[in-house]
Amino acid sequence: MNIIFNLLRSKSKFTALLVGCGDFTQKNYAFALNKISNRLLCNKVLSRTKLSATNFANKLKYEATVYESLEDAVNEVDVVIITTPNYLHMQQVSYALSKDKVVFCEKPLVNNLQDALLLKANYPNGKLMVGYNRRYSKRLNKVKKIVNKKMIEN
C-alpha cells in the first residue's frame, strides 16, 4: 500500500472504502488496516451481504459505516480498496477511477487483455495499484528459488 501513501502525500490522513469482505479479506485486511489506521482510516465498508460487511467492520479498531452500494460510498473517500471476486473487478475499478479515486485492487485486475487495454485507454492517468497477495509466500518463494536454480544450471 506504499503507492497509496505516495500518491496522497499532501494529506496527513485519508479515508478508504473497502469493497468486498470475504474470507481472505477478513483474515488479512483487518489486521493490516488497523496497523496503519494513523494514516489510512478505512471508515467505509461494502460487501455483497450486510452481515459480512458488518462482521468485517467489527474487526476494525475504529467505527466504520457499512454500505450496500459502491455508488453511495465512493464519493465520501479518498481511496477504494477492492477485494471482491475477480469477475467484479473491471466494473468496480472503472467506477472508482471515473470518480478520480486512488484504487488498490487485489489480483487479477481484469480477466482479459481487452479489458486491460480499455482501462488503460479510459484512465491513462488513473491512480491504480494491483495487489499480488502471494508475493511474500514462503512456499512460493521456495518454488521460485528452485526454478531459478534449475534455469541457471541449464
Side-chain angles (χ1 to χ4, degrees):
M1 289 193 176
N2 288 339
I3 192 170
I4 293 172
F5 292 129
N6 291 336
L7 291 169
L8 297 170
R9 280 185 196 183
S10 62
K11 293 183 78 169
S12 61
K13 194 168 191 172
F14 50 96
T15 58
L17 163 66
L18 179 81
V19 183
C21 299
D23 190 50
F24 171 80
T25 305
Q26 296 269 345
K27 290 178 182 174
N28 297 286
Y29 274 78
F31 171 78
L33 291 169
N34 281 330
K35 192 171 180 178
I36 62 172
S37 64
N38 63 324
R39 286 285 316 223
L40 179 116
L41 184 64
C42 182
N43 61 349
K44 311 281 186 262
V45 179
L46 169 68
S47 193
R48 284 183 288 184
T49 68
K50 196 169 186 174
L51 177 63
S52 183
T54 301
N55 287 341
F56 183 83
N58 290 337
K59 291 181 180 183
L60 298 171
K61 65 180 183 181
Y62 46 84
E63 190 171 327
T65 305
V66 173
Y67 283 81
E68 294 187 40
S69 82
L70 184 61
E71 296 77 12
D72 291 340
V74 77
N75 290 325
E76 299 181 27
V77 297
D78 304 304
V79 177
V80 178
I81 302 168
I82 298 173
T83 64
T84 54
N86 302 346
Y87 72 92
L88 296 170
H89 290 180
M90 176 64 178
Q91 176 188 1
Q92 293 169 337
V93 167
S94 293
Y95 186 78
L97 289 174
S98 77
K99 298 299 182 181
D100 203 31
K101 301 302 175 181
V102 174
V103 180
F104 176 87
C105 181
E106 275 296 343
K107 62 122 178 110
L109 175 60
V110 292
N111 292 323
N112 58 62
L113 180 59
Q114 180 181 355
D115 285 348
L117 295 173
L118 192 60
L119 273 179
K120 183 179 177 185
N122 290 339
Y123 309 102
N125 299 314
K127 297 173 181 91
L128 171 66
M129 179 179 176
V130 179
Y132 181 60
N133 60 49
R134 299 289 181 221
R135 179 176 297 142
Y136 303 106
S137 163
K138 289 179 184 178
R139 290 181 183 155
L140 188 60
N141 283 326
K142 187 175 182 177
V143 169
K144 183 179 176 187
K145 285 179 185 178
I146 292 168
V147 169
N148 287 341
K149 184 178 178 185
K150 294 218 184 255
M151 288 176 69
I152 291 170
E153 290 173 354
N154 294 331

